[in-house]
Amino acid sequence: QQQVKQSPQSLIVQKGGISIINCAYENTAFDYFPWYQQFPGKGPALLIAIRPDVSEKKEGRFTISFNKSAKQFSLHIMDSQPGDSATYFCAASKQAGTALIFGKGTTLSVSS
Amino acid sequence: NAGVTQTPKFRVLKTGQSMTLLCAQDMNHEYMYWYRQDPGMGLRLIHYSVGEGTTAKGEVPDGYNVSRLKKQNFLLGLESAAPSQTSVYFCASSYSMGTQPQHFGDGTRLSIL
């Protein structure tokens, strides 16, 4: 049972464009939604995270949009750069000490 | 500050051989995790530990054993390696579980022939 569904599997965006990655979850008890970024040959690293009490969180060019009623959240990368080319994972967890559930990942390629 | 260090970085095994993957963290984190990453499958939790001397099963624990004898170390063992265990293994650690950032090592690429 896949609790966090991520799409698309891969994405190609031109430099300067907007990259959008979507995730949907099933468990309404989830209340922490992070995004991790992974470069080739490296481990994932936390990029940005959101809790369900806000609908949007922005850090630089990266924004998480959260829709609690639809049980969906998305990552927007504005002004995408070749250095943003990486694999992105969404995840979800409950606050009460449970493990993160990861999506299957999206490989982003930003062409120059 | 090294963060999370995984040893070895690469390894090739024959079916049936055993080996241990070592993870060490220097951030005094209570929680440690082992994941495997396979193409199109994302990160799947194998085992985790909530503190020294404790371990628990994750999503895909079969064929693996773990030990947390020291707070800073988390070992992942394969007693009898199988080709299905060919993967990239990541160790991570965090202050608490669920809502604190997990800090990942750079992975161990393991091939079972």
Side-chain angles (χ1 to χ4, degrees):
Chain A
Q1 180 183 2
Q2 186 183 355
Q3 298 191 54
V4 179
K5 294 184 179 180
Q6 184 172 346
S7 63
Q9 186 173 352
S10 62
L11 181 62
I12 299 174
V13 174
Q14 288 206 340
K15 180 181 176 181
I18 302 173
S19 303
I20 302 174
I21 304 170
N22 301 299
C23 282
Y25 62 97
E26 299 168 0
N27 191 338
T28 54
F30 287 150
D31 55 11
Y32 175 69
F33 303 91
W35 285 89
Y36 281 76
Q37 179 188 54
Q38 182 184 29
F39 293 107
K42 298 294 185 181
L46 178 66
L47 181 63
I48 187 172
I50 197 169
R51 311 242 176 165
D53 53 343
V54 296
S55 60
E56 185 176 283
K57 182 175 182 179
K58 184 176 181 179
E59 290 185 3
R61 295 183 294 108
F62 300 90
T63 300
I64 299 179
S65 297
F66 184 80
N67 187 329
K68 188 174 182 178
S69 60
K71 292 187 288 185
Q72 295 176 347
F73 59 109
S74 60
L75 177 68
H76 296 238
I77 305 174
M78 310 301 288
D79 187 26
S80 299
Q81 299 297 312
D84 297 330
S85 298
T87 299
Y88 293 81
F89 294 96
C90 63
S93 72
K94 296 177 281 188
Q95 276 200 356
T98 59
L100 278 174
I101 307 296
F102 284 90
K104 292 189 175 183
T106 296
T107 300
L108 170 65
S109 295
V110 181
S111 60
S112 55
Chain B
N1 197 351
V4 177
T5 303
Q6 292 184 233
T7 309
K9 296 188 185 305
F10 305 93
R11 186 72 183 268
V12 178
L13 289 179
K14 294 182 179 179
T15 297
Q17 287 185 318
S18 64
M19 80 160 295
T20 300
L21 280 64
L22 173 64
C23 176
Q25 54 97 1
D26 62 2
M27 295 171 283
N28 201 34
H29 286 165
E30 288 292 337
Y31 295 78
M32 297 188 74
Y33 317 83
W34 276 107
Y35 294 90
R36 60 177 291 172
Q37 182 176 16
D38 302 291
M41 297 298 292
L43 291 160
R44 293 182 292 170
L45 183 65
I46 304 171
H47 286 280
Y48 63 96
S49 169
V50 301
E52 182 178 317
T54 73
T55 63
K57 294 181 179 179
E59 179 186 357
V60 288
D62 294 342
Y64 306 95
N65 57 77
V66 288
S67 64
R68 183 98 180 268
L69 298 180
K70 293 182 179 181
K71 185 178 183 178
Q72 64 268 34
N73 296 336
F74 195 27
L75 279 62
L76 178 70
L78 287 72
E79 291 186 347
S80 180
S84 61
Q85 294 177 305
T86 292
S87 187
V88 182
Y89 292 87
F90 286 99
C91 175
S93 69
S94 65
Y95 278 115
S96 65
M97 197 168 186
T99 60
Q100 289 295 317
Q102 290 189 14
H103 299 262
F104 285 79
D106 286 339
T108 295
R109 293 184 178 276
L110 183 61
S111 293
I112 315 293
L113 304 178

